[in-house]
Amino acid sequence: MATAERAPEQLAPPPPPPERVMGFAERAVAAAGAAVVSAVLVNPLDVAKTRLQAQAAGVVYNPIWSDFRCYPWCNPGGLKLSGLGPSCSPECFQYRGTMDVFSKITRQEGIFRLWRGTGASLALAVPTVGIYLPSYDLLRNWIEEYSDHSYPKLRPYAPLIAGSIARSLACITCSPIELARTRMQAFKQSSGGAKPPGMWKTMLGVLSSRQSISHPENLQTARGYHLLWTGMGAQLARDVPFSAICWMVLEPTRRHLLGLLAGEQSNAAVIMGANFSTGFIAGVISSGATCPLDVAKTRRQIEKDPARVLSMNTRRILLEVWRNEGINGLFRGAGPRMARAGPSVGIVVSSYEVVKHIMHRKHAEL
């Protein structure tokens, strides 16, 4: 009976103590490890999503070398290329869905091209998640403590506010890497046998593009490194609502699930299962809801005309897509985006919470 009476008192307290003894650095280490696992596993889905969105924006995926002959599995167009064989029909280089992207990239460019931009994804994921999750944790705890003492009505909105602020900090810090990754995934290798540009060369290419702006008045505006933050407004417009929706779904759901499953004491398996399942659901919902904003971000960041880059904004892009392609254009790449976000959020959040749990246990035993 004594154990049964103590159980309700022990369900609520477990989360707060670990939150208060772990510093920002410890949280960042836990988050960075989770980010590495997620970035490697879901990168092919990110490539598929970016290719579908870039194709809809007008990027043409032609053969990547000059002395090209049609693939045996493709329907030839019937034209001859100086004895090399029939040329491919345009359909050979048009993507019709996620699985078609996987198939054609594997056959035309090699299976490892599905992990194109993984280096940039890792360079992006580690600092982004290392900033994002610890900042979210600390801000949420502070807002909840403040609301408990001063303004109780604010407490339900703590995940929304903390998630929005933390994601903004992470986006602003890591926007140049996100720009490089998007361009690396969107475009094919330019010539046969040549090594495609990596993250640093891609960013240098963005900077060099300012020299091609023909109008003197635009040249002054474009001078400097701010071109590396091209599309940051579109990225914030996508990621801040994504984060707000994600945490508003995830936080109450996982607390309820942990309360049902934990019993007297939580363990790593329960924490992993509860956080992965709720993170998966939250990731799918938030990524689907913000897909139009992701389309706008991709189009903003793959644009190579410097003069057009300076005049583009999220609202204008969304209106343009709506007029030209309708609702299908706004949700282009929604399938792979949702398929990527579900496991990605689940892996990152569950791994982060398990590492926090283990580190807290070890800290408590000292």
Side-chain angles (χ1 to χ4, degrees):
M1 289 294 293
T3 303
E5 292 175 358
R6 286 197 304 269
E9 299 177 359
Q10 292 180 349
L11 285 178
E19 305 291 344
R20 292 177 173 81
V21 298
M22 286 186 69
F24 187 91
E26 291 175 303
R27 296 172 194 270
V29 170
V36 169
V37 175
S38 173
V40 173
L41 289 179
V42 302
N43 198 78
L45 288 164
D46 209 30
V47 170
K49 182 262 303 180
T50 304
R51 288 283 179 100
L52 288 170
Q53 292 179 350
Q55 177 179 261
V59 175
V60 179
Y61 294 104
N62 287 324
I64 56 178
W65 58 89
S66 57
D67 56 341
F68 173 81
R69 64 182 300 171
C70 192
Y71 304 103
W73 50 268
C74 191
N75 295 322
L79 299 176
K80 297 292 181 178
L81 293 178
S82 61
L84 292 175
S87 67
C88 281
S89 67
E91 293 183 358
C92 292
F93 301 99
Q94 291 179 354
Y95 302 126
R96 300 188 177 279
T98 304
M99 299 310 297
D100 194 41
V101 175
F102 290 157
S103 175
K104 286 178 178 174
I105 288 180
T106 301
R107 290 174 170 179
Q108 296 173 3
E109 306 172 54
I111 191 170
F112 292 108
R113 193 55 60 86
L114 291 172
W115 278 266
R116 174 85 170 126
T118 300
S121 294
L122 292 174
L124 175 69
V126 172
T128 298
V129 179
I131 295 169
Y132 175 43
L133 289 182
S135 298
Y136 168 77
D137 261 354
L138 295 173
L139 284 168
R140 185 202 62 212
N141 291 341
W142 182 83
I143 294 170
E144 287 180 346
E145 288 176 3
Y146 172 80
S147 64
D148 288 343
H149 291 90
S150 304
Y151 195 65
K153 292 182 179 180
L154 182 64
R155 186 180 177 90
Y157 303 100
L160 185 151
I161 299 169
S164 299
I165 296 173
R167 194 65 188 181
S168 298
L169 292 173
C171 285
I172 293 169
T173 304
C174 303
S175 185
I177 305 174
E178 171 69 19
L179 171 64
R181 181 184 69 160
T182 300
R183 292 200 172 199
M184 290 169 69
Q185 291 176 342
F187 300 112
K188 278 189 177 183
Q189 179 179 337
S190 58
S191 59
K195 185 178 180 180
M199 182 178 69
W200 295 111
K201 285 188 177 181
T202 302
M203 286 196 284
L204 288 174
V206 173
L207 288 175
S208 65
S209 69
R210 75 177 187 269
Q211 299 174 359
S212 65
I213 300 178
S214 57
H215 302 289
E217 63 274 15
N218 288 341
L219 181 61
Q220 182 64 32
T221 305
R223 187 168 289 133
Y225 291 96
H226 81 275
L227 282 178
L228 289 175
W229 276 263
T230 297
M232 187 184 71
Q235 186 180 352
L236 286 170
R238 178 199 69 174
D239 285 2
V240 172
F242 173 92
S243 182
I245 296 170
C246 183
W247 289 112
M248 284 297 288
V249 173
L250 191 152
E251 200 67 65
T253 307
R254 75 172 172 184
R255 286 182 178 179
H256 178 71
L257 190 58
L258 283 170
L260 292 176
L261 299 178
E264 287 192 4
Q265 185 175 4
S266 297
N267 55 48
V270 170
I271 292 172
M272 173 72 79
N275 279 279
F276 180 83
S277 56
T278 55
F280 188 99
I281 294 169
V284 170
I285 293 172
S286 52
S287 62
T290 58
C291 188
L293 298 168
D294 185 56
V295 170
K297 186 215 67 122
T298 299
R299 295 204 177 196
R300 182 87 165 83
Q301 293 187 325
I302 65 173
E303 180 58 55
K304 289 190 171 183
D305 180 357
R308 181 169 162 78
V309 164
L310 295 174
S311 65
M312 295 175 75
N313 60 54
T314 302
R315 178 177 174 276
R316 187 173 299 172
I317 294 170
L318 290 175
L319 288 174
E320 183 180 292
V321 173
W322 172 258
R323 283 195 300 265
N324 297 334
E325 304 173 49
I327 192 71
N328 289 337
L330 291 174
F331 285 89
R332 189 81 59 191
R337 173 168 164 77
M338 294 167 69
R340 172 196 178 279
S344 179
V345 174
I347 291 168
V348 169
V349 173
S350 59
S351 301
Y352 175 63
E353 293 296 332
V354 167
V355 172
K356 276 173 52 182
H357 174 75
I358 294 171
M359 292 175 72
H360 173 66
R361 289 281 298 273
K362 290 184 177 181
H363 180 82
E365 291 172 359
L366 294 179

